[in-house]
Amino acid sequence: MKHLENCEIITSENIKSDIYKMTLKTPQIAKGSKPGQFVMIYLDNGVNLLPRPISIADVDGENLTIIYHVVGDGTKKLSQMKKGDIVRILGSLGNGFDVDAKSEKALLIGGGIGTPPMYLLARHLISLGVEVDVVAGFRNMDQVILQKEFEALGAKVHIATDDGSAGFEGNVVELLNNNPQINHQVAYACGPTPMLKGVAGWAKESGTKLFVSLEERMACGIGACFACISKNKDGVNKKVCIDGPVFEAKSHFGEV
């Protein structure tokens, strides 16, 4: 169920380079949030900025945590807000991950800022007794986030960086192809579309059931604006905000 709330900022911190973590008190939205869902954040700075979609990284009681990358005026404005400030949020939105998939092991794959939503998913799966491996890819060591947090949950973490400054040198698909022991029955991935298509190809070859969370630009988050259209394997337009953002890779990408 969607709610529009004025939320108090509990904490806001710069955790790595241009990546920020913010925790908000939002009783109604936090209560109904599931792994893989997102919120729309409204910012009023006098220039009529569109709301920003940001994935939910964690939920704890009445508090909801987001982790985001400063890439434009909206996220820059958000990063300048302080503890005690009020932010207007619509959420929780979209269809999340199928956390009821029966598997003793699960593989979680994140690319860059697609990694934070994997944290809430990992915490949920581990609480159900699922053994979790996390593969996370970043440009370089200065962009690596959440490794210690995942490990504290009990997940086994594999890091890939494009320049080899941390972990495996290469992208997540190359890491998976070079580590056949990282091979579970079900996998969940979030990141840029080229990465997701590469992971979908790996999943087909390895016989892994894969769910992907798509990243698309959004203007409303509720299916009214048609800004986040993604064509599935049959050429049918899907609205990422309400049909997704999570899709089964095989049904969306087809035979990659």
Side-chain angles (χ1 to χ4, degrees):
M1 182 178 294
K2 298 186 293 292
H3 295 276
L4 183 63
E5 284 194 270
N6 290 321
C7 308
E8 180 185 356
I9 297 175
I10 305 301
T11 63
S12 181
E13 58 179 318
N14 179 202
I15 59 172
K16 266 293 181 73
S17 183
D18 48 5
I19 300 172
Y20 285 75
K21 177 181 179 181
M22 179 179 285
T23 298
L24 302 132
K25 185 176 182 180
T26 169
Q28 292 299 319
I29 296 174
K31 181 180 179 180
S33 295
K34 299 177 181 178
Q37 291 187 303
F38 65 97
V39 295
M40 297 295 286
I41 298 184
Y42 293 80
L43 298 162
D44 180 15
N45 68 348
V47 295
N48 298 318
L49 286 172
L50 290 171
R52 294 301 192 267
I54 301 181
S55 297
I56 298 169
D58 197 15
V59 174
D60 183 11
E62 295 184 339
N63 295 338
L64 180 148
T65 298
I66 57 173
I67 295 175
Y68 62 95
H69 189 184
V70 174
V71 293
D73 291 339
T75 46
K76 182 178 180 180
K77 168 72 174 177
L78 187 62
S79 72
Q80 294 168 343
M81 301 184 77
K82 307 296 183 183
K83 177 181 178 180
D85 288 345
I86 302 298
V87 181
R88 189 159 56 104
I89 293 180
L90 177 66
S92 48
L93 302 172
N95 293 308
F97 290 107
D98 178 10
V99 293
D100 294 322
K102 299 298 187 293
S103 178
E104 294 181 357
K105 296 181 179 181
L107 174 61
L108 279 54
I109 306 164
I113 207 64
T115 303
M118 296 292 107
Y119 180 80
L120 181 57
L121 177 60
R123 192 155 69 81
H124 181 86
L125 291 172
I126 289 171
S127 74
L128 297 176
V130 178
E131 183 180 324
V132 170
D133 274 75
V134 176
V135 171
F138 305 92
R139 292 197 303 271
N140 53 57
M141 66 183 299
D142 292 331
Q143 297 289 313
V144 175
I145 55 173
L146 295 176
Q147 180 176 359
K148 292 181 180 178
E149 289 83 349
F150 280 119
E151 290 172 343
L153 291 177
K156 186 174 182 180
V157 182
H158 312 265
I159 299 295
T161 52
D162 294 343
D163 63 359
S165 54
F168 175 85
E169 182 175 358
N171 59 43
V172 295
V173 179
E174 292 168 332
L175 187 156
L176 290 168
N177 286 331
N178 280 274
N179 292 272
Q181 75 277 11
I182 308 175
N183 187 4
H184 302 330
Q185 291 180 330
V186 61
Y188 307 86
C190 182
T193 298
M195 183 206 88
L196 296 180
K197 288 183 176 180
V199 173
W202 165 84
K204 178 179 179 293
E205 292 297 320
S206 63
T208 303
K209 187 172 186 179
L210 173 66
F211 297 92
V212 296
S213 178
L214 302 186
E215 294 181 345
E216 292 289 343
R217 291 183 178 273
M218 296 181 189
C220 73
I222 56 174
C225 68
F226 291 85
C228 61
I229 294 297
S230 177
K231 290 185 182 292
N232 71 4
K233 67 180 181 66
D234 298 318
V236 177
N237 288 333
K238 293 292 184 179
K239 297 177 181 179
V240 171
C241 64
I242 58 173
D243 295 321
V246 177
F247 299 89
E248 186 174 353
K250 186 177 180 179
S251 65
H252 196 76
F253 293 135
E255 300 297 327
V256 178

